[in-house]
Every structure is written in C-alpha cells, then in structure tokens.
PDB file of all heavy atoms in Angstrom:
ATOM      1  N   GLY A1008      -0.911   7.295  -4.830  1.00  0.00           N
ATOM      2  CA  GLY A1008      -0.929   8.751  -4.896  1.00  0.00           C
ATOM      3  C   GLY A1008      -0.482   9.290  -3.550  1.00  0.00           C
ATOM      4  O   GLY A1008      -0.826   8.726  -2.501  1.00  0.00           O
ATOM      5  N   ARG A1009       0.286  10.385  -3.551  1.00  0.00           N
ATOM      6  CA  ARG A1009       0.862  10.808  -2.274  1.00  0.00           C
ATOM      7  C   ARG A1009       1.105  12.307  -2.225  1.00  0.00           C
ATOM      8  O   ARG A1009       1.679  12.897  -3.131  1.00  0.00           O
ATOM      9  CB  ARG A1009       2.189  10.076  -2.052  1.00  0.00           C
ATOM     10  CG  ARG A1009       2.801  10.233  -0.671  1.00  0.00           C
ATOM     11  CD  ARG A1009       1.946   9.566   0.380  1.00  0.00           C
ATOM     12  NE  ARG A1009       2.565   9.618   1.697  1.00  0.00           N
ATOM     13  CZ  ARG A1009       3.188   8.599   2.282  1.00  0.00           C
ATOM     14  NH1 ARG A1009       3.254   7.425   1.669  1.00  0.00           N
ATOM     15  NH2 ARG A1009       3.720   8.730   3.479  1.00  0.00           N
ATOM     16  N   MET A1010       0.606  12.898  -1.152  1.00  0.00           N
ATOM     17  CA  MET A1010       0.964  14.264  -0.795  1.00  0.00           C
ATOM     18  C   MET A1010       2.057  14.207   0.265  1.00  0.00           C
ATOM     19  O   MET A1010       2.123  13.267   1.062  1.00  0.00           O
ATOM     20  CB  MET A1010      -0.246  15.019  -0.251  1.00  0.00           C
ATOM     21  CG  MET A1010      -1.372  15.234  -1.252  1.00  0.00           C
ATOM     22  SD  MET A1010      -0.867  16.334  -2.592  1.00  0.00           S
ATOM     23  CE  MET A1010      -2.419  16.424  -3.526  1.00  0.00           C
ATOM     24  N   LEU A1011       2.895  15.248   0.311  1.00  0.00           N
ATOM     25  CA  LEU A1011       3.933  15.334   1.325  1.00  0.00           C
ATOM     26  C   LEU A1011       3.501  16.287   2.433  1.00  0.00           C
ATOM     27  O   LEU A1011       2.483  16.987   2.329  1.00  0.00           O
ATOM     28  CB  LEU A1011       5.246  15.794   0.693  1.00  0.00           C
ATOM     29  CG  LEU A1011       5.825  14.865  -0.385  1.00  0.00           C
ATOM     30  CD1 LEU A1011       7.146  15.408  -0.903  1.00  0.00           C
ATOM     31  CD2 LEU A1011       6.009  13.451   0.154  1.00  0.00           C
ATOM     32  N   SER A1012       4.307  16.340   3.488  1.00  0.00           N
ATOM     33  CA  SER A1012       3.928  17.110   4.668  1.00  0.00           C
ATOM     34  C   SER A1012       3.839  18.599   4.396  1.00  0.00           C
ATOM     35  O   SER A1012       3.173  19.325   5.140  1.00  0.00           O
ATOM     36  CB  SER A1012       4.925  16.851   5.802  1.00  0.00           C
ATOM     37  OG  SER A1012       6.230  17.245   5.426  1.00  0.00           O
ATOM     38  N   GLY A1013       4.487  19.057   3.349  1.00  0.00           N
ATOM     39  CA  GLY A1013       4.389  20.475   3.007  1.00  0.00           C
ATOM     40  C   GLY A1013       3.269  20.795   2.045  1.00  0.00           C
ATOM     41  O   GLY A1013       3.109  21.954   1.645  1.00  0.00           O
ATOM     42  N   GLY A1014       2.507  19.769   1.658  1.00  0.00           N
ATOM     43  CA  GLY A1014       1.398  19.978   0.734  1.00  0.00           C
ATOM     44  C   GLY A1014       1.755  19.736  -0.718  1.00  0.00           C
ATOM     45  O   GLY A1014       0.888  19.841  -1.598  1.00  0.00           O
ATOM     46  N   GLU A1015       3.033  19.405  -1.005  1.00  0.00           N
ATOM     47  CA  GLU A1015       3.426  19.151  -2.389  1.00  0.00           C
ATOM     48  C   GLU A1015       2.939  17.771  -2.833  1.00  0.00           C
ATOM     49  O   GLU A1015       2.897  16.832  -2.041  1.00  0.00           O
ATOM     50  CB  GLU A1015       4.955  19.206  -2.538  1.00  0.00           C
ATOM     51  CG  GLU A1015       5.597  20.461  -1.974  1.00  0.00           C
ATOM     52  CD  GLU A1015       6.002  20.297  -0.518  1.00  0.00           C
ATOM     53  OE1 GLU A1015       5.617  19.269   0.087  1.00  0.00           O
ATOM     54  OE2 GLU A1015       6.660  21.199   0.030  1.00  0.00           O
ATOM     55  N   GLU A1016       2.595  17.646  -4.106  1.00  0.00           N
ATOM     56  CA  GLU A1016       2.186  16.351  -4.650  1.00  0.00           C
ATOM     57  C   GLU A1016       3.432  15.563  -5.031  1.00  0.00           C
ATOM     58  O   GLU A1016       4.165  15.933  -5.947  1.00  0.00           O
ATOM     59  CB  GLU A1016       1.282  16.528  -5.864  1.00  0.00           C
ATOM     60  CG  GLU A1016       0.760  15.188  -6.397  1.00  0.00           C
ATOM     61  CD  GLU A1016      -0.122  15.347  -7.628  1.00  0.00           C
ATOM     62  OE1 GLU A1016       0.426  15.752  -8.672  1.00  0.00           O
ATOM     63  OE2 GLU A1016      -1.334  15.073  -7.539  1.00  0.00           O
ATOM     64  N   HIS A1017       3.643  14.448  -4.335  1.00  0.00           N
ATOM     65  CA  HIS A1017       4.791  13.592  -4.623  1.00  0.00           C
ATOM     66  C   HIS A1017       4.460  12.574  -5.703  1.00  0.00           C
ATOM     67  O   HIS A1017       5.316  12.233  -6.528  1.00  0.00           O
ATOM     68  CB  HIS A1017       5.216  12.863  -3.344  1.00  0.00           C
ATOM     69  CG  HIS A1017       6.331  11.883  -3.534  1.00  0.00           C
ATOM     70  ND1 HIS A1017       7.624  12.276  -3.832  1.00  0.00           N
ATOM     71  CD2 HIS A1017       6.359  10.514  -3.485  1.00  0.00           C
ATOM     72  CE1 HIS A1017       8.387  11.208  -3.956  1.00  0.00           C
ATOM     73  NE2 HIS A1017       7.647  10.125  -3.759  1.00  0.00           N
ATOM     74  N   GLU A1018       3.207  12.123  -5.707  1.00  0.00           N
ATOM     75  CA  GLU A1018       2.761  11.130  -6.685  1.00  0.00           C
ATOM     76  C   GLU A1018       1.303  11.422  -7.017  1.00  0.00           C
ATOM     77  O   GLU A1018       0.483  11.579  -6.111  1.00  0.00           O
ATOM     78  CB  GLU A1018       2.903   9.718  -6.116  1.00  0.00           C
ATOM     79  CG  GLU A1018       2.425   8.616  -7.057  1.00  0.00           C
ATOM     80  CD  GLU A1018       2.483   7.237  -6.411  1.00  0.00           C
ATOM     81  OE1 GLU A1018       2.961   7.138  -5.255  1.00  0.00           O
ATOM     82  OE2 GLU A1018       2.026   6.271  -7.047  1.00  0.00           O
ATOM     83  N   PRO A1019       0.940  11.506  -8.300  1.00  0.00           N
ATOM     84  CA  PRO A1019      -0.453  11.814  -8.659  1.00  0.00           C
ATOM     85  C   PRO A1019      -1.412  10.729  -8.167  1.00  0.00           C
ATOM     86  O   PRO A1019      -1.031   9.569  -7.982  1.00  0.00           O
ATOM     87  CB  PRO A1019      -0.427  11.862 -10.195  1.00  0.00           C
ATOM     88  CG  PRO A1019       1.007  12.064 -10.552  1.00  0.00           C
ATOM     89  CD  PRO A1019       1.809  11.393  -9.486  1.00  0.00           C
ATOM     90  N   LEU A1020      -2.651  11.120  -7.945  1.00  0.00           N
ATOM     91  CA  LEU A1020      -3.677  10.167  -7.548  1.00  0.00           C
ATOM     92  C   LEU A1020      -3.905   9.162  -8.673  1.00  0.00           C
ATOM     93  O   LEU A1020      -4.113   9.546  -9.829  1.00  0.00           O
ATOM     94  CB  LEU A1020      -4.983  10.909  -7.242  1.00  0.00           C
ATOM     95  CG  LEU A1020      -6.180  10.032  -6.884  1.00  0.00           C
ATOM     96  CD1 LEU A1020      -5.959   9.357  -5.531  1.00  0.00           C
ATOM     97  CD2 LEU A1020      -7.461  10.863  -6.863  1.00  0.00           C
ATOM     98  N   ASN A1021      -3.878   7.898  -8.335  1.00  0.00           N
ATOM     99  CA  ASN A1021      -4.129   6.847  -9.319  1.00  0.00           C
ATOM    100  C   ASN A1021      -5.632   6.594  -9.366  1.00  0.00           C
ATOM    101  O   ASN A1021      -6.194   5.892  -8.523  1.00  0.00           O
ATOM    102  CB  ASN A1021      -3.372   5.566  -8.936  1.00  0.00           C
ATOM    103  CG  ASN A1021      -3.421   4.521 -10.025  1.00  0.00           C
ATOM    104  OD1 ASN A1021      -4.480   4.243 -10.584  1.00  0.00           O
ATOM    105  ND2 ASN A1021      -2.272   3.937 -10.339  1.00  0.00           N
ATOM    106  N   GLU A1022      -6.294   7.164 -10.340  1.00  0.00           N
ATOM    107  CA  GLU A1022      -7.752   7.071 -10.408  1.00  0.00           C
ATOM    108  C   GLU A1022      -8.222   5.658 -10.743  1.00  0.00           C
ATOM    109  O   GLU A1022      -9.354   5.284 -10.390  1.00  0.00           O
ATOM    110  CB  GLU A1022      -8.294   8.088 -11.408  1.00  0.00           C
ATOM    111  CG  GLU A1022      -8.031   9.532 -10.973  1.00  0.00           C
ATOM    112  CD  GLU A1022      -8.786  10.552 -11.806  1.00  0.00           C
ATOM    113  OE1 GLU A1022      -9.588  10.131 -12.692  1.00  0.00           O
ATOM    114  OE2 GLU A1022      -8.602  11.763 -11.590  1.00  0.00           O
ATOM    115  N   ASP A1023      -7.369   4.862 -11.369  1.00  0.00           N
ATOM    116  CA  ASP A1023      -7.754   3.474 -11.620  1.00  0.00           C
ATOM    117  C   ASP A1023      -7.977   2.739 -10.296  1.00  0.00           C
ATOM    118  O   ASP A1023      -8.895   1.912 -10.170  1.00  0.00           O
ATOM    119  CB  ASP A1023      -6.671   2.757 -12.436  1.00  0.00           C
ATOM    120  CG  ASP A1023      -6.616   3.232 -13.880  1.00  0.00           C
ATOM    121  OD1 ASP A1023      -7.613   3.827 -14.339  1.00  0.00           O
ATOM    122  OD2 ASP A1023      -5.575   3.021 -14.528  1.00  0.00           O
ATOM    123  N   ASP A1024      -7.143   3.056  -9.308  1.00  0.00           N
ATOM    124  CA  ASP A1024      -7.326   2.444  -7.990  1.00  0.00           C
ATOM    125  C   ASP A1024      -8.649   2.876  -7.362  1.00  0.00           C
ATOM    126  O   ASP A1024      -9.329   2.082  -6.695  1.00  0.00           O
ATOM    127  CB  ASP A1024      -6.181   2.841  -7.053  1.00  0.00           C
ATOM    128  CG  ASP A1024      -4.852   2.194  -7.440  1.00  0.00           C
ATOM    129  OD1 ASP A1024      -4.869   1.290  -8.295  1.00  0.00           O
ATOM    130  OD2 ASP A1024      -3.818   2.602  -6.880  1.00  0.00           O
ATOM    131  N   VAL A1025      -9.006   4.140  -7.572  1.00  0.00           N
ATOM    132  CA  VAL A1025     -10.267   4.647  -7.013  1.00  0.00           C
ATOM    133  C   VAL A1025     -11.445   3.918  -7.653  1.00  0.00           C
ATOM    134  O   VAL A1025     -12.373   3.466  -6.952  1.00  0.00           O
ATOM    135  CB  VAL A1025     -10.384   6.165  -7.225  1.00  0.00           C
ATOM    136  CG1 VAL A1025     -11.728   6.674  -6.677  1.00  0.00           C
ATOM    137  CG2 VAL A1025      -9.233   6.901  -6.562  1.00  0.00           C
ATOM    138  N   TYR A1026     -11.416   3.773  -8.964  1.00  0.00           N
ATOM    139  CA  TYR A1026     -12.515   3.084  -9.650  1.00  0.00           C
ATOM    140  C   TYR A1026     -12.575   1.604  -9.247  1.00  0.00           C
ATOM    141  O   TYR A1026     -13.673   1.028  -9.118  1.00  0.00           O
ATOM    142  CB  TYR A1026     -12.355   3.210 -11.167  1.00  0.00           C
ATOM    143  CG  TYR A1026     -12.757   4.578 -11.693  1.00  0.00           C
ATOM    144  CD1 TYR A1026     -11.792   5.493 -12.088  1.00  0.00           C
ATOM    145  CD2 TYR A1026     -14.098   4.946 -11.774  1.00  0.00           C
ATOM    146  CE1 TYR A1026     -12.149   6.742 -12.569  1.00  0.00           C
ATOM    147  CE2 TYR A1026     -14.468   6.199 -12.255  1.00  0.00           C
ATOM    148  CZ  TYR A1026     -13.485   7.095 -12.644  1.00  0.00           C
ATOM    149  OH  TYR A1026     -13.844   8.340 -13.107  1.00  0.00           O
ATOM    150  N   ALA A1027     -11.411   1.006  -9.013  1.00  0.00           N
ATOM    151  CA  ALA A1027     -11.400  -0.395  -8.572  1.00  0.00           C
ATOM    152  C   ALA A1027     -12.015  -0.524  -7.177  1.00  0.00           C
ATOM    153  O   ALA A1027     -12.772  -1.464  -6.893  1.00  0.00           O
ATOM    154  CB  ALA A1027      -9.962  -0.919  -8.567  1.00  0.00           C
ATOM    155  N   ALA A1028     -11.706   0.422  -6.316  1.00  0.00           N
ATOM    156  CA  ALA A1028     -12.297   0.410  -4.971  1.00  0.00           C
ATOM    157  C   ALA A1028     -13.810   0.570  -5.054  1.00  0.00           C
ATOM    158  O   ALA A1028     -14.572  -0.121  -4.353  1.00  0.00           O
ATOM    159  CB  ALA A1028     -11.691   1.527  -4.129  1.00  0.00           C
ATOM    160  N   ILE A1029     -14.256   1.471  -5.916  1.00  0.00           N
ATOM    161  CA  ILE A1029     -15.691   1.705  -6.063  1.00  0.00           C
ATOM    162  C   ILE A1029     -16.398   0.460  -6.576  1.00  0.00           C
ATOM    163  O   ILE A1029     -17.493   0.105  -6.105  1.00  0.00           O
ATOM    164  CB  ILE A1029     -15.931   2.912  -6.994  1.00  0.00           C
ATOM    165  CG1 ILE A1029     -15.521   4.199  -6.274  1.00  0.00           C
ATOM    166  CG2 ILE A1029     -17.378   2.969  -7.462  1.00  0.00           C
ATOM    167  CD1 ILE A1029     -15.559   5.427  -7.157  1.00  0.00           C
ATOM    168  N   GLU A1030     -15.795  -0.229  -7.528  1.00  0.00           N
ATOM    169  CA  GLU A1030     -16.407  -1.453  -8.047  1.00  0.00           C
ATOM    170  C   GLU A1030     -16.522  -2.506  -6.946  1.00  0.00           C
ATOM    171  O   GLU A1030     -17.535  -3.212  -6.843  1.00  0.00           O
ATOM    172  CB  GLU A1030     -15.574  -1.990  -9.211  1.00  0.00           C
ATOM    173  CG  GLU A1030     -16.189  -3.220  -9.885  1.00  0.00           C
ATOM    174  CD  GLU A1030     -17.593  -2.953 -10.428  1.00  0.00           C
ATOM    175  OE1 GLU A1030     -17.870  -1.805 -10.853  1.00  0.00           O
ATOM    176  OE2 GLU A1030     -18.417  -3.901 -10.407  1.00  0.00           O
ATOM    177  N   HIS A1031     -15.498  -2.591  -6.102  1.00  0.00           N
ATOM    178  CA  HIS A1031     -15.547  -3.529  -4.976  1.00  0.00           C
ATOM    179  C   HIS A1031     -16.651  -3.136  -4.002  1.00  0.00           C
ATOM    180  O   HIS A1031     -17.411  -4.001  -3.532  1.00  0.00           O
ATOM    181  CB  HIS A1031     -14.191  -3.549  -4.279  1.00  0.00           C
ATOM    182  CG  HIS A1031     -14.121  -4.517  -3.139  1.00  0.00           C
ATOM    183  ND1 HIS A1031     -14.263  -5.877  -3.293  1.00  0.00           N
ATOM    184  CD2 HIS A1031     -13.947  -4.314  -1.799  1.00  0.00           C
ATOM    185  CE1 HIS A1031     -14.157  -6.480  -2.128  1.00  0.00           C
ATOM    186  NE2 HIS A1031     -13.970  -5.552  -1.189  1.00  0.00           N
ATOM    187  N   PHE A1032     -16.776  -1.852  -3.708  1.00  0.00           N
ATOM    188  CA  PHE A1032     -17.838  -1.391  -2.805  1.00  0.00           C
ATOM    189  C   PHE A1032     -19.215  -1.683  -3.391  1.00  0.00           C
ATOM    190  O   PHE A1032     -20.151  -2.048  -2.671  1.00  0.00           O
ATOM    191  CB  PHE A1032     -17.697   0.105  -2.540  1.00  0.00           C
ATOM    192  CG  PHE A1032     -16.486   0.493  -1.739  1.00  0.00           C
ATOM    193  CD1 PHE A1032     -15.926   1.758  -1.866  1.00  0.00           C
ATOM    194  CD2 PHE A1032     -15.897  -0.401  -0.861  1.00  0.00           C
ATOM    195  CE1 PHE A1032     -14.817   2.129  -1.131  1.00  0.00           C
ATOM    196  CE2 PHE A1032     -14.779  -0.050  -0.118  1.00  0.00           C
ATOM    197  CZ  PHE A1032     -14.231   1.218  -0.260  1.00  0.00           C
ATOM    198  N   ARG A1033     -19.336  -1.529  -4.693  1.00  0.00           N
ATOM    199  CA  ARG A1033     -20.624  -1.797  -5.350  1.00  0.00           C
ATOM    200  C   ARG A1033     -20.986  -3.277  -5.214  1.00  0.00           C
ATOM    201  O   ARG A1033     -22.129  -3.625  -4.905  1.00  0.00           O
ATOM    202  CB  ARG A1033     -20.549  -1.387  -6.821  1.00  0.00           C
ATOM    203  CG  ARG A1033     -21.884  -1.485  -7.553  1.00  0.00           C
ATOM    204  CD  ARG A1033     -21.745  -1.070  -9.001  1.00  0.00           C
ATOM    205  NE  ARG A1033     -21.594   0.369  -9.155  1.00  0.00           N
ATOM    206  CZ  ARG A1033     -20.524   0.968  -9.671  1.00  0.00           C
ATOM    207  NH1 ARG A1033     -19.479   0.239 -10.063  1.00  0.00           N
ATOM    208  NH2 ARG A1033     -20.465   2.281  -9.790  1.00  0.00           N
ATOM    209  N   GLU A1034     -20.002  -4.137  -5.401  1.00  0.00           N
ATOM    210  CA  GLU A1034     -20.246  -5.577  -5.270  1.00  0.00           C
ATOM    211  C   GLU A1034     -20.598  -5.951  -3.831  1.00  0.00           C
ATOM    212  O   GLU A1034     -21.397  -6.860  -3.598  1.00  0.00           O
ATOM    213  CB  GLU A1034     -19.005  -6.353  -5.724  1.00  0.00           C
ATOM    214  CG  GLU A1034     -18.706  -6.225  -7.213  1.00  0.00           C
ATOM    215  CD  GLU A1034     -17.370  -6.845  -7.573  1.00  0.00           C
ATOM    216  OE1 GLU A1034     -16.640  -7.284  -6.631  1.00  0.00           O
ATOM    217  OE2 GLU A1034     -17.031  -6.889  -8.774  1.00  0.00           O
ATOM    218  N   GLU A1035     -20.013  -5.252  -2.867  1.00  0.00           N
ATOM    219  CA  GLU A1035     -20.238  -5.554  -1.451  1.00  0.00           C
ATOM    220  C   GLU A1035     -21.466  -4.832  -0.892  1.00  0.00           C
ATOM    221  O   GLU A1035     -21.797  -5.008   0.281  1.00  0.00           O
ATOM    222  CB  GLU A1035     -19.000  -5.161  -0.634  1.00  0.00           C
ATOM    223  CG  GLU A1035     -17.780  -6.025  -0.903  1.00  0.00           C
ATOM    224  CD  GLU A1035     -17.935  -7.411  -0.307  1.00  0.00           C
ATOM    225  OE1 GLU A1035     -18.737  -7.576   0.638  1.00  0.00           O
ATOM    226  OE2 GLU A1035     -17.242  -8.341  -0.783  1.00  0.00           O
ATOM    227  N   ASP A1036     -22.113  -4.026  -1.720  1.00  0.00           N
ATOM    228  CA  ASP A1036     -23.323  -3.309  -1.301  1.00  0.00           C
ATOM    229  C   ASP A1036     -23.056  -2.414  -0.086  1.00  0.00           C
ATOM    230  O   ASP A1036     -23.790  -2.417   0.903  1.00  0.00           O
ATOM    231  CB  ASP A1036     -24.451  -4.296  -0.976  1.00  0.00           C
ATOM    232  CG  ASP A1036     -25.825  -3.630  -0.995  1.00  0.00           C
ATOM    233  OD1 ASP A1036     -25.968  -2.570  -1.638  1.00  0.00           O
ATOM    234  OD2 ASP A1036     -26.744  -4.161  -0.359  1.00  0.00           O
TER     235      ASP A1036
END
C-alpha cells in the first residue's frame, strides 16, 4: 500500500498484510 508525496493514494492498503503482521505479533507475544 502506498501514499505519494502529494497525499494521493498510489496503491490501496493491503489489509491481508496487516492481518498477517498481527498474527505474527500475537505468536511472538
């Protein structure tokens, strides 16, 4: 997911990546 320097959204946030990160954090306590 990517914002540009002018504030425009270049690529939408990939929420699957966010949930994957959260699952990893949960496992790592």
Side-chain angles (χ1 to χ4, degrees):
R1009 190 67 176 257
M1010 295 294 182
L1011 298 182
S1012 61
E1015 308 91 351
E1016 184 181 67
H1017 176 69
E1018 179 184 356
L1020 177 68
N1021 189 313
E1022 296 191 4
D1023 289 341
D1024 290 349
V1025 178
Y1026 283 105
I1029 289 173
E1030 184 58 32
H1031 182 63
F1032 292 154
R1033 186 180 286 118
E1034 293 172 355
E1035 292 288 337
D1036 199 22

